[in-house]
Amino acid sequence: SQELEQSPQSLIVQEGKNLTINCTSSKTLYGLYWYKQKYGEGLIFLMMLQKGGEEKSHEKITAKLDEKKQQSSLHITASQPSHAGIYLCGAVYSGGYQKVTFGIGTKLQVIP
Amino acid sequence: EAGVTQFPSHSVIEKGQTVTLRCDPISGHDNLYWYRRVMGKEIKFLLHFVKESKQDESGMPNNRFLAERTGGTYSTLKVQPAELEDSGVYFCASSQQGTYGYTFGSGTRLTVV
């Protein structure tokens, strides 16, 4: 089984709707990254959640880290076409943030 | 500030040939990473340089892959000889020492036929 399970793998939502992407680790997390990728481009850093049950927001995107469940959720409020892309969670399992284990990714489509 | 630059953006080679991918990190970034995404799979860590030294190369698939970082600046990843299973997108990322949140390049899409 994978160390980092991300769900759903694909999501189609209508513009204006809210959505949530989940990422669950089978090992104890030291930190959790969220990245976004558009086709043909590199990964864009969204935010990082550190050990201790953090919650961060950037514009209409909020991410939380549930330390007890070793799970993170990414929530987009009032989705827009510009939110479309592949969202990836990445886990760090030890201090130093040197190596990231990525989930499979969630492909998000936003229909106008 | 210029981002992480990778080239070529695409490469198609025949099985058994050699290919060299290049990554230019952001100036001043001591940390440089290589990752790879094979179709349908997760992005996997390959290796990590701190300046010119290999800090962690635990993700390198086998000895057909050779990474170098001359003078702690740009890095190359050579695959010799290439096999079909080496096809995928190779990403490079860099970061400053003591910070988090790498900056990724756009990737090199390698196709081995």
Side-chain angles (χ1 to χ4, degrees), chain B residues 3-65:
Chain B
V4 176
T5 305
Q6 290 187 247
F7 48 95
S9 57
H10 293 82
S11 180
V12 180
I13 62 171
E14 292 185 351
K15 176 182 172 181
Q17 288 186 323
T18 298
V19 62
T20 300
L21 314 180
R22 174 166 168 150
C23 169
D24 285 72
I26 291 174
S27 178
H29 282 195
D30 288 338
N31 292 305
L32 187 148
Y33 308 83
W34 283 98
Y35 283 80
R36 175 175 76 168
R37 183 166 193 155
V38 172
M39 188 178 289
K41 303 286 187 180
E42 303 89 340
I43 296 174
K44 293 283 193 184
F45 169 85
L46 296 178
L47 88 160
H48 168 215
F49 283 100
V50 176
K51 297 184 180 177
E52 68 275 9
S53 300
K54 291 177 186 174
Q55 190 76 10
D56 181 355
E57 50 184 331
S58 60
M60 294 288 265
N62 51 60
N63 59 11
R64 295 186 294 104
F65 289 75

Side-chain angles (χ1 to χ4, degrees), chain B residues 11-16 82-87 110-113:
Chain B
S11 180
V12 180
I13 62 171
E14 292 185 351
K15 176 182 172 181
E83 298 289 344
L84 298 177
E85 64 264 25
D86 300 332
S87 295
L110 174 65
T111 303
V112 182
V113 297

Side-chain angles (χ1 to χ4, degrees), chain B residues 90-111:
Chain B
Y90 290 77
F91 290 103
C92 174
S94 71
S95 69
Q96 285 182 323
Q97 199 68 7
T99 65
Y100 57 82
Y102 313 152
T103 300
F104 276 84
S106 298
T108 294
R109 182 173 295 278
L110 174 65
T111 303

Side-chain angles (χ1 to χ4, degrees), chain A residues 54-78:
Chain A
E54 256 187 308
E55 177 175 333
K56 288 185 177 178
S57 293
H58 175 67
E59 297 179 344
K60 293 185 178 179
I61 301 175
T62 300
K64 303 177 186 179
L65 179 61
D66 185 328
E67 194 178 12
K68 289 184 181 177
K69 294 181 181 178
Q70 296 301 313
Q71 183 179 73
S72 178
S73 59
L74 184 102
H75 185 77
I76 298 177
T77 304

Side-chain angles (χ1 to χ4, degrees), chain A residues 12-99:
Chain A
I12 302 173
V13 299
Q14 199 160 17
E15 184 176 357
K17 297 293 185 183
N18 302 336
L19 64 105
T20 300
I21 299 168
N22 292 304
C23 184
T24 304
S25 174
S26 60
K27 293 164 49 176
T28 302
L29 289 166
Y30 190 88
L32 194 289
Y33 287 97
W34 283 100
Y35 282 90
K36 177 185 176 184
Q37 183 187 19
K38 288 197 170 184
Y39 182 77
E41 299 179 16
L43 281 66
I44 300 166
F45 173 76
L46 295 176
M47 56 193 85
M48 186 196 181
L49 304 168
Q50 295 178 290
K51 189 176 181 180
E54 256 187 308
E55 177 175 333
K56 288 185 177 178
S57 293
H58 175 67
E59 297 179 344
K60 293 185 178 179
I61 301 175
T62 300
K64 303 177 186 179
L65 179 61
D66 185 328
E67 194 178 12
K68 289 184 181 177
K69 294 181 181 178
Q70 296 301 313
Q71 183 179 73
S72 178
S73 59
L74 184 102
H75 185 77
I76 298 177
T77 304
S79 58
Q80 300 169 356
S82 61
H83 287 127
I86 299 173
Y87 289 81
L88 294 134
C89 62
V92 177
Y93 291 116
S94 63
Y97 310 109
Q98 305 295 11
K99 178 176 166 179

